[in-house]
Amino acid sequence: MQAGVYFSVALHIAIAAAGIVVAPTLAAEPTPMVILPVELLTISDSTNVAPVIDVQPEAEIEEFAEEMAEPEPAPAAAPAEEAPEIIPTERAPDSETAPPKSEPKPAPPKEESFDDFLESALKSVKDNKPVRAASQKTAADLRNVEDAAPRKGVGDNVRMTMTVADAIRSQLLSRGCWADQDDMPDAKRLRTVIRIRFDRDGRLMGAPELREPGRLPSGDQPMQIFVQRAQRALDMCNKPRFTVPPEYYETSPAQWIDIEFTP
Amino acid sequence: MRNVHLFIVLLVTAFGAGVPAHAQLRVTVEGVNFQPMPIAVPDFDGASAPAKAVATQMADVIRADLAGSAIFRMIDQTAFIERDLDISLAPRFPDWTVIQAQALVVGNVVIDASGNMVTQFRLYDVFGSKELFAQQYTVPTTDNWRRVAHKVADDVYAQLTGEQGYFDSRIVFVSESGPVTDRRRRLAIMDQDGANAEHLLSGVNSVLTPRFSPSSQTIIYSAFVADARNPAITRLRVYLYDIETGRQEVLSEIERATNYAARFSPDGKSVVMSREKNGNSDIYAIELARRAETRLTTSPSVDTSPSYSPDGRSIVFTSDRGGSPQLYVMRADGGAMSCPNGGTETACRISFGEGNYTTPVWSPRGDWVAFTKQQSGRFFIGVIQPDGKGERLLTESYLDEGPTWSPNGRVISFFREAGPGAGPRLWSIDLTGRNLKRLPTPGDASDPAWSPLLR
């Protein structure tokens, strides 16, 4: 009996051990071999990354370098009353005081150490600074940047609406383009809506469009005059131009604005 | 395949074109701080030396008319950049926008061989760079140059404000002179700007409350006249006076009754007036052709100062039936009417303020009634809507009285005594309460009445 028990225990242990060893090999399928291309680099190549800068075209860099190197030209002598005919002659030599143009000479090739490389990289950063200054953006460029893709948050549309509306209203009133119309007969009933758009310079784009009333009532002279005054108000403030907040240009194409004129 | 693409493109284009642009933003602009419109009126050109002289004078009158309305601000001629304008050529608009002229008037005068004076002018919208109006007037003599100038000013006014002007009109008034104890009150007339003032009557009888007929040819007025039987007694009579012929006649005379405060109806065919009899004043209408009378009020109170509405269907008057003089409106035939405050009455009270409301005059536009108010020893000229709403007091002084409307219902003239002993003078004020100014008269003047526009 006792021998049977030992035999059974030994048999279970043997089966369990066999399962542990054999079962994983039965379940797993063979995975295909993936070959990853690996390029071996020196450490300097992966750690000394050059800064991202706007690289000027080579020609512009040379031109800029020349401008920096050459002295200011001497002021020309006062012209005679009658300018003599200019006769082409041989090209005059450069001023003696002007330093000769220093042709950039390539350094003799030598074996480059890590320290040398680091120094040259830093130097390249310093050398690039004036190039960046020379390429400062104009106001127009800056506006283009702003126009590019501004991120909008919740309420931005409301803010823009308020800003643009206030700006237009304020200019029509403060510049005297639109004033109290109490002199009009039966002024309380008068009201007109004119639709406009602005171009990038703040000028009206195209002719203002009369929206309300749909067309001028031929027998209603006060209303005709009132609409005429509203159109004149836009013409007045359009000369030289409106000052339009940049928010207006966040949408493309330019949004329409309905201006309601009341006495 | 290419055809399919073309079809889709056309479809999208057509759909897009058919959809109206949607405004994403709405701006409401309400006018504040009234500002007169800057306008430039250079001297008119003249084809000859006499024409040039008249042209310059005409431009002066036009400028004075427009600036006097206070609706326009005249730009000084020294500021002009473009000069020697030719009416047949468009002006250089940028030269006028730079001096902020919103409108420009260019004109010339030609006097032909037979003496006819031809006046041409053009009105330009400077900022719109376009012509708004052009007109030509031909008169047989240069003597009428002032009227032509007023007509040009009226045209400009109408084109820029949307309502008719009032410059080619006249004012009849009572010219006063002499000491208080022996005051002469003579009927006089002048242009609305004070020019061409003249007396119409000798001044034997004291005149009061003159009023124009709608044709401006006839004046109705009251006068204290000595009784033919007993010269020691003076009686108040109502006369009709023809300006052209100088002929006049008594309108109506009843024993033991006095007629006064008469006015024409808008069609000029009848007259409405007060008649005092046995201590009671009532309002009567008289048809001029047949002299047929209609009694319009029967109240035991004092009903006086009637004035027709411009459509002739209603009359505003003063009555003390409520205890103190106040303004009432009734139908022109005296029938019952629905009152603004409810109920049906033969006369509806429209003023309810403290003090006395007198001398109501209905505006030619029909939207306001001007009146004199007396309260706490001060006098006011005010306006109120015919339904009793919107009462506003425009002036205040020691004595302001007798309002009369300009033909366009825009300006009110009245007479004022600045203080005790100061003589009466004519003044005017805009309906909005702006532009209070004195009208030039040769001497003391009272009881003004504005004519309709002359024809």
Side-chain angles (χ1 to χ4, degrees):
Chain A
M1 182 67 184
Q2 203 170 20
V5 171
Y6 288 136
F7 177 76
S8 174
V9 169
L11 185 61
H12 279 87
I13 290 170
I15 292 171
I20 291 169
V21 173
V22 176
T25 61
L26 292 175
E29 289 187 3
T31 53
M33 178 75 73
V34 177
I35 301 171
L36 297 173
V38 176
E39 188 178 355
L40 295 177
L41 299 172
T42 62
I43 190 167
S44 60
D45 289 337
S46 61
T47 57
N48 292 283
V49 180
V52 178
I53 55 173
D54 290 336
V55 179
Q56 289 278 338
E58 207 163 314
E60 284 186 27
I61 295 174
E62 285 179 2
E63 189 180 320
F64 177 73
E66 283 180 13
E67 284 176 11
M68 296 295 287
E70 285 180 1
E72 287 280 323
E81 283 189 5
E82 286 187 15
E85 191 177 354
I86 298 173
I87 302 169
T89 58
E90 287 185 9
R91 189 179 176 188
D94 289 339
S95 167
E96 289 182 3
T97 56
K101 281 187 181 177
S102 56
E103 294 269 336
K105 292 177 181 176
K110 65 175 184 178
E111 204 169 324
E112 196 177 51
S113 67
F114 175 76
D115 289 340
D116 292 338
F117 184 87
L118 186 62
E119 190 179 348
S120 70
L122 290 172
K123 187 172 183 297
S124 74
V125 172
K126 286 179 187 171
D127 290 348
N128 273 322
K129 275 184 180 172
V131 176
R132 294 189 68 178
S135 64
Q136 278 180 343
K137 294 183 180 299
T138 64
D141 293 333
L142 293 173
R143 191 160 62 189
N144 287 337
V145 171
E146 287 171 6
D147 291 342
R151 290 190 171 202
K152 285 193 174 183
V154 176
D156 275 7
N157 279 332
V158 176
R159 177 177 55 79
M160 181 201 71
T161 301
M162 294 296 289
T163 306
V164 175
D166 289 344
I168 304 306
R169 184 186 304 109
S170 160
Q171 287 171 77
L172 284 166
L173 296 175
S174 66
R175 292 173 57 189
C177 305
W178 187 250
D180 187 327
Q181 308 292 317
D182 264 358
D183 59 315
M184 297 289 297
D186 199 10
K188 286 178 186 170
R189 73 179 176 89
L190 299 174
R191 171 184 166 278
T192 187
V193 177
I194 296 179
R195 180 166 292 182
I196 60 168
R197 272 196 303 179
F198 292 108
D199 66 13
R200 291 274 168 189
D201 294 327
R203 294 193 180 89
L204 295 179
M205 194 188 298
E209 178 191 354
L210 178 64
R211 301 293 296 181
E212 298 176 32
R215 60 178 173 179
L216 283 178
S218 58
D220 188 350
Q221 196 187 10
M223 180 58 86
Q224 290 179 27
I225 301 292
F226 188 76
V227 171
Q228 207 175 71
R229 287 186 178 191
Q231 289 170 332
R232 188 181 300 127
L234 291 170
D235 286 338
M236 284 179 65
C237 273
N238 196 39
K239 288 173 182 171
R241 62 177 61 80
F242 282 86
T243 302
V244 183
E247 289 88 345
Y248 175 76
Y249 300 104
E250 289 177 356
T251 58
S252 182
Q255 63 177 334
W256 292 95
I257 302 175
D258 278 353
I259 302 187
E260 178 183 5
F261 291 91
T262 63
Chain B
M1 192 61 183
R2 182 179 294 176
N3 289 339
V4 173
H5 285 161
L6 183 62
F7 174 75
I8 292 172
V9 168
L10 288 174
L11 191 66
V12 170
T13 306
F15 180 74
V19 176
H22 177 67
Q24 299 158 8
L25 180 58
R26 192 177 186 93
V27 182
T28 300
V29 190
E30 183 181 353
V32 292
N33 300 331
F34 174 79
Q35 296 170 350
M37 176 189 288
I39 184 171
V41 184
D43 284 345
F44 281 17
D45 196 11
S48 59
K52 180 67 180 172
V54 172
T56 304
Q57 289 178 304
M58 286 180 67
D60 286 339
V61 170
I62 295 166
R63 285 190 285 262
D65 280 350
L66 296 175
S69 72
I71 289 176
F72 303 96
R73 177 173 63 80
M74 209 51 58
I75 294 179
D76 194 286
Q77 293 190 74
T78 57
F80 295 172
I81 298 169
E82 184 180 17
R83 294 171 186 273
D84 300 326
L85 290 126
D86 186 338
I87 195 170
S88 58
L89 300 174
R92 293 196 303 267
F93 291 111
D95 286 357
W96 300 97
T97 57
V98 79
I99 60 172
Q100 293 296 306
Q102 291 188 28
L104 169 67
V105 182
V106 180
N108 75 347
V109 175
V110 175
I111 301 173
D112 65 19
S114 52
N116 293 324
M117 186 179 78
V118 181
T119 305
Q120 302 172 313
F121 76 97
R122 294 183 195 276
L123 171 65
Y124 292 100
D125 175 355
V126 171
F127 283 88
S129 301
K130 62 184 177 187
E131 181 183 305
L132 288 177
F133 187 73
Q135 183 71 284
Q136 172 177 310
Y137 291 103
T138 303
V139 290
T141 168
T142 55
D143 293 344
N144 290 329
W145 68 267
R146 284 193 74 90
R147 280 207 61 196
V148 174
H150 289 316
K151 284 194 172 296
V152 172
D154 278 335
D155 287 336
V156 172
Y157 185 99
Q159 291 300 318
L160 296 178
T161 67
E163 63 185 343
Q164 69 171 5
Y166 59 90
F167 305 122
D168 187 26
S169 61
R170 311 193 79 184
I171 292 176
V172 63
F173 60 99
V174 175
S175 170
E176 298 192 18
S177 59
V180 177
T181 53
D182 185 22
R183 198 76 168 159
R184 278 183 93 188
R185 293 184 171 86
R186 305 169 69 183
L187 190 63
I189 194 169
M190 65 180 186
D191 293 351
Q192 57 80 28
D193 59 355
N196 297 323
E198 60 177 322
H199 287 111
L200 296 175
L201 296 175
S202 62
V204 172
N205 301 316
S206 274
V207 168
L208 62 157
T209 62
R211 309 287 182 240
F212 269 108
S213 71
S215 69
S216 302
Q217 290 299 311
T218 309
I219 294 170
I220 191 168
Y221 70 93
S222 301
F224 287 104
V225 183
D227 189 276
R229 297 174 191 167
N230 185 357
I233 300 174
T234 56
R235 303 188 57 160
L236 189 60
R237 287 175 171 164
V238 174
Y239 287 87
L240 290 168
Y241 176 85
D242 188 301
I243 295 176
E244 293 294 319
T245 64
R247 195 173 69 88
Q248 57 180 337
E249 60 178 314
V250 177
L251 176 64
S252 171
E253 197 161 39
I254 307 291
E255 278 297 321
R256 292 184 295 277
T258 302
N259 298 327
Y260 62 101
R263 279 184 194 275
F264 283 98
S265 63
D267 62 6
K269 293 179 179 174
S270 56
V271 166
V272 64
M273 62 183 186
S274 300
R275 173 175 292 164
E276 187 273 328
K277 190 174 183 182
N278 300 327
N280 179 36
S281 286
D282 277 310
I283 294 174
Y284 288 74
I286 300 178
E287 187 186 335
L288 291 175
R290 296 186 296 130
R291 300 294 164 105
E293 295 186 1
T294 305
R295 184 174 179 177
L296 299 178
T297 64
T298 56
S299 167
S301 57
V302 174
D303 298 334
T304 186
S305 303
S307 172
Y308 277 103
S309 63
D311 62 5
R313 299 170 65 179
S314 304
I315 292 172
V316 62
F317 65 100
T318 297
S319 176
D320 63 358
R321 63 185 66 182
S324 66
Q326 295 285 338
L327 306 183
Y328 290 77
V329 170
M330 66 176 175
R331 280 172 44 172
D333 60 4
M337 61 184 290
S338 297
C339 293
N341 297 323
T344 302
E345 305 282 349
T346 53
C348 304
R349 181 172 170 176
I350 63 169
S351 69
F352 294 90
E354 295 179 1
N356 299 335
Y357 289 72
T358 57
T359 67
V361 194
W362 214 306
S363 155
R365 287 195 331 213
D367 50 355
W368 293 98
V369 170
F371 59 84
T372 301
K373 178 176 179 173
Q374 182 188 8
Q375 183 184 6
S376 305
R378 303 288 288 176
F379 282 78
F380 309 82
I381 299 295
V383 291
I384 190 171
Q385 291 170 18
D387 60 1
K389 295 177 183 171
E391 178 182 339
R392 285 187 288 133
L393 299 179
L394 305 178
T395 73
E396 176 188 357
S397 89
Y398 171 73
L399 176 60
D400 283 353
E401 199 173 357
T404 179
W405 290 95
S406 64
N408 63 355
R410 178 75 205 176
V411 182
I412 296 170
S413 178
F414 58 96
F415 73 94
R416 163 176 288 183
E417 282 187 29
R425 300 284 179 163
L426 302 191
W427 290 70
S428 71
I429 190 166
D430 194 88
L431 173 60
T432 58
R434 295 188 291 263
N435 198 27
L436 175 67
K437 64 176 184 178
R438 216 192 107 188
L439 299 180
T441 52
D444 289 351
S446 62
D447 272 346
W450 217 312
S451 79
L453 269 186
L454 302 179
R455 296 188 176 91

